[in-house]
Amino acid sequence: MSRFAFALATPDDDAQLRARMAADWMEGDIAVSFRREPSYFAGCSLQGSLAQVIKCTEQSSGRIIGMGARLKTMAFVNGAACQIGYLSDLRGAPEYRRGTLLARGYHFLQALHEVDPLPFYYSIIFAGNDAATRNLVGARAGLPDYTDSGAILTPALHLDLPKRVLQVPGVEFSRGSDAQGDDIVTFLNQQMARRQLAPCYAVADFLAGGRLRNLSFSNFFIARRGPKIVAALAAWDQVGIRQTHIERYSPGLRALRPLYNVLSALTPLKPLPAPGDRVPYLYFSCVAVAEDDCALFAGLLRHAYRALRTGPWHYAIIGLHERDPLLEVLDGYRAIAAAGRLYVVRYPQAATEIMALDARVPYVDMALA
């Protein structure tokens, strides 16, 4: 009997899956863990409409030592809504990362794909995860092909220092409401169709019990020119679903933290959390701007920033592709830099679909990643 077994995880595995997520840190000057409390599977609904979570179990102990998720999601591909796949949450206990377990896990994934094929998948490998890049990219050991589709920049904008209003002539900024729900969703889908891999939305997603848990139309900031919506973004706090915890600071940051936190008590700066503590943040999600108008986006982002900076959140995380023309607007904000590489993942029989992707700028909403 093999020492390890691969199978689909069930809700009975939820506690172990959450423990596996918490145990695997993203290293750097600030080491962090991405957690899914109180339910791993509850968070999967954000990532896709159907989640198949592969678990690797050490049979002698029953311990889950590796995991990864295959999700199905509706996204815009070349301007049309299409069901594609998303590969996420690849985790493994460090002592088992060498050897053939990764290849065996991907063979299990291929079997799932053959039963329920999708045209392709996408995935993100975050900067600094060199081991994942080495192991996944190159179509070795029977793994699918990972095609590099550019960098996704995911800065954490500091919500602290005051900033002046940015007026845009003829444009009014306001909060969203349920009464505007149909208009907001229509506008989002019109703009997302201009991007590659961008999510599709339905009004029901934002209602009680919808796929986008606790994101409502009142979380939106919108820009109108007359009666017409011309830009939108949502401020989404997912603390009840997903969390990020500080695990360790570099020696330099650890020495600086007490002084910085004294300064934060005297200024609008937000303090640095203690190791082990949760980071208070939200996402800037559903970013959509007509005609990629940077002045319009700058005004809307500033309106949202001013409304949120005195709240409990220290950061707002936003994701934009390196080719996104809106990216230049973020230069006016203090931020903790972060990024990942976007990959389109295919099995050989899907080569036609991959080659057919046009040059639209990708948009991956990090609140759904």
Side-chain angles (χ1 to χ4, degrees):
M1 183 176 70
S2 174
R3 182 182 175 189
F4 302 99
F6 290 85
L8 288 178
T10 72
D12 290 340
D13 299 309
D14 201 275
Q16 283 210 62
L17 296 175
R18 287 184 279 116
R20 181 78 271 141
M21 294 287 291
D24 290 353
W25 301 353
M26 178 183 288
E27 297 291 349
D29 287 340
I30 304 176
V32 298
S33 63
F34 302 114
R35 306 192 186 189
R36 295 274 279 273
E37 302 292 344
S39 166
Y40 174 81
F41 281 100
C44 289
S45 69
L46 305 181
Q47 299 169 300
S49 59
L50 175 106
Q52 293 174 303
V53 182
I54 301 169
K55 64 176 180 179
C56 176
T57 305
E58 184 181 47
Q59 300 213 71
S60 61
S61 65
R63 182 167 70 109
I64 294 176
I65 57 92
M67 61 181 287
R70 174 187 187 257
L71 303 114
K72 295 168 70 171
T73 186
M74 291 297 295
F76 286 101
V77 178
N78 297 340
C82 176
Q83 189 171 69
I84 62 173
Y86 174 46
L87 302 179
S88 180
D89 298 340
L90 183 62
R91 301 288 191 275
E95 63 269 30
Y96 298 109
R97 289 178 185 171
R98 296 180 182 274
T100 63
L101 288 181
L102 181 66
R104 289 173 60 189
Y106 269 81
H107 289 156
F108 191 96
L109 170 66
Q110 184 168 4
L112 297 177
H113 171 80
E114 290 173 351
V115 171
D116 179 24
L118 293 168
F120 62 89
Y121 302 82
Y122 72 94
S123 190
I124 299 172
I125 300 178
F126 287 99
N129 196 348
D130 297 334
T133 303
R134 287 193 305 269
N135 291 331
L136 297 176
V137 178
R140 295 182 297 273
L143 270 64
D145 180 68
Y146 275 65
T147 301
D148 191 337
S149 298
I152 301 292
L153 305 182
T154 60
L157 309 183
H158 290 272
L159 295 173
D160 49 21
L161 301 179
K163 290 182 177 292
R164 65 181 180 85
V165 173
L166 289 180
Q167 301 284 1
V168 180
V171 173
E172 178 185 0
F173 301 110
S174 64
R175 296 296 291 260
S177 66
D178 289 344
Q180 298 169 306
D182 288 343
D183 290 344
I184 291 173
V185 169
T186 297
F187 174 76
L188 289 177
N189 286 332
Q190 288 172 345
Q191 300 306 314
M192 294 301 164
R194 299 171 52 244
R195 294 288 194 255
Q196 203 68 275
L197 310 180
C200 302
Y201 301 103
V203 171
D205 293 337
F206 301 92
L207 304 181
R211 185 172 70 89
L212 306 181
R213 294 167 180 260
N214 85 336
L215 179 63
S216 68
F217 294 117
S218 63
N219 295 121
F220 275 81
F221 294 86
I222 60 174
R224 285 185 178 272
R225 185 174 281 121
K228 185 177 180 181
I229 296 177
V230 291
L233 65 81
W236 192 358
D237 185 347
Q238 297 184 350
V239 66
I241 309 167
R242 307 196 294 186
Q243 309 84 27
T244 299
H245 283 244
I246 299 289
E247 301 294 351
R248 182 176 57 240
Y249 288 104
S250 67
L253 286 174
R254 187 168 63 246
L256 177 65
R257 179 175 167 268
L259 179 61
Y260 187 94
N261 285 356
V262 168
L263 186 61
S264 73
L266 304 173
T267 70
L269 297 175
K270 305 290 178 71
L272 294 174
D277 284 356
R278 178 179 60 82
V279 181
Y281 71 97
L282 51 73
Y283 289 101
F284 280 148
S285 177
C286 305
V287 178
V289 181
E291 299 179 354
D292 295 329
D293 185 328
C294 286
L296 188 56
F297 180 48
L300 180 63
L301 184 64
R302 182 62 55 85
H303 179 74
Y305 175 93
R306 286 170 53 86
L308 298 167
R309 75 170 188 86
T310 57
W313 310 282
H314 293 192
Y315 309 99
I317 296 173
I318 187 170
L320 293 174
H321 191 269
E322 63 182 347
R323 293 195 288 116
D324 199 313
L326 302 177
L327 194 61
E328 67 179 58
V329 173
L330 304 186
D331 291 343
Y333 292 84
R334 296 172 55 248
I336 299 174
R341 302 299 300 184
L342 173 66
Y343 291 89
V344 174
V345 184
R346 64 174 176 84
Y347 288 95
Q349 61 269 32
T352 301
E353 287 87 349
I354 294 300
M355 297 304 293
L357 291 178
D358 64 28
R360 294 168 205 243
V361 175
Y363 175 64
V364 177
D365 191 334
M366 295 310 299
L368 304 178

